[in-house]
Amino acid sequence: VAAIKPFFFTNHNTGAREIFIQDLKNNAYLINAAGRVLWKVPLRERIISSVFLIDYFKNGKYQLLFSGINNLHLLDRNGNYVERYPVRLRSPATNSLAVFDYDNNRDYRLLIAGEDKQIYAYDRTGSVVRGWKPFKTAGTVSDEVSFFRVSGKDYLLVADETAIYFLDRTGNIRLRPDETVTKARGSRLRLDNSLRPSVVCSSPDGSVNHIYFSGEVEKRRPGSFSADHLFDFFDVDGDNFGEYIFIDEGVLYLYRSNLEELFTLELGSEELGGPINFTFSSSDRRIGVYDIDEKLIYLIDRMGRVREGFPLRGASMFSIGRFSDRSDWHLIVGGTDRFLYNYRIN
């Protein structure tokens, strides 16, 4: 059975997209648009991170970069490890790998948190970055490190269960918020890049926090939510202003930034995954939700309507992309029967 969210990999020889996936037995596969397995490689551990497409050799050829608990992994398009990989982490990972190309020169920086509560930075070869001071957090970091550039300054954001830390590229504190903000476990950290940029997240009590780069913190409360809610901030209606998206106790909520409620949608199950944000065009944006109990997947529009044909059967988080520039959209998801499903979305 599929163990991770499917990833669209670009074949640098043909430009076509292929699917990278790992199963519960830790086998990794690359599969083409016709469903043919191009290769199958056993890995020594489960992938716990996002999968990243990088150009390691700076020659226009792409590789797959990801992490497990103990190692960084880098595979070429033939399923072979790139030299020096896998790279043993300094401390077992507690979060997903984050990869940044600060200056778009393919000098990638790989940031990951360890069980020793330190944030480590590696270069693309897997070596520790010179000049980086491993930053130690008070608690355990379970989410990816985020990177934002605002007014010409770079910010690396790290969140544990006690605080959010704003760091510079060397691992030193760049900004201290005027008050402590605690991020909810199911909240994403997003940049609201409006006239007055801020970092947006929710707290365990359901309040939405805007942390401005002056240090000011503004708190808003659109509704009452449990500590187990899920939260994201995304421009769902294409008006260039982000909306607040909550999932809590089987219900999906959407609010404007002025706290106006746009809709609530009951999905009938309290074990939901998401929200996943999909942009098909400037005017067609959808929210993806995965029903973990019933093994169903949903696409929902800005009015709270479930897209025609949904829910679909699926037993994993799902991805949507094109296999070529001219092809239809395809939704890729794993099933309970050990098959990978390819749904065409017209």
Side-chain angles (χ1 to χ4, degrees), residues 50-169:
S50 301
V51 180
F52 299 90
L53 190 69
I54 72 166
D55 183 357
Y56 179 90
F57 296 104
K58 303 185 180 183
N59 61 0
K61 298 181 178 180
Y62 301 119
Q63 298 80 37
L64 293 152
L65 176 64
F66 49 89
S67 66
I69 290 178
N70 294 303
N71 297 275
L72 300 172
H73 302 264
L74 184 62
L75 299 178
D76 65 21
R77 78 161 308 276
N78 295 314
N80 299 314
Y81 273 110
V82 173
E83 58 191 20
R84 295 193 62 190
Y85 281 84
V87 172
R88 188 79 174 179
L89 294 169
R90 293 294 183 96
S91 176
T94 60
N95 71 338
S96 172
L97 173 69
V99 179
F100 307 118
D101 184 5
Y102 297 132
D103 301 310
N104 295 318
N105 58 6
R106 291 169 287 186
D107 284 332
Y108 304 98
R109 290 294 179 261
L110 288 57
L111 279 86
I112 196 164
E115 288 181 356
D116 59 2
K117 299 182 181 178
Q118 295 200 73
I119 307 298
Y120 291 94
Y122 300 86
D123 63 22
R124 72 180 192 278
T125 69
S127 300
V128 174
V129 173
R130 292 183 180 180
W132 172 264
K133 178 184 176 183
F135 181 80
K136 189 152 189 174
T137 58
T140 299
V141 176
S142 57
D143 295 325
E144 281 184 29
V145 176
S146 299
F147 169 70
F148 303 123
R149 180 169 289 161
V150 177
S151 300
K153 292 184 178 180
D154 293 341
Y155 297 85
L156 293 166
L157 270 69
V158 178
D160 60 21
E161 62 265 56
T162 66
I164 299 173
Y165 310 89
F166 289 69
L167 311 179
D168 63 18
R169 284 201 207 176

Side-chain angles (χ1 to χ4, degrees), residues 16-19 31-38 323 330 332 340 342:
R17 273 73 164 188
E18 297 158 346
I19 301 299
I31 302 165
N32 69 10
R36 184 166 65 89
V37 175
L38 302 177
F323 283 114
H330 290 259
I332 309 297
L340 194 66
N342 172 12

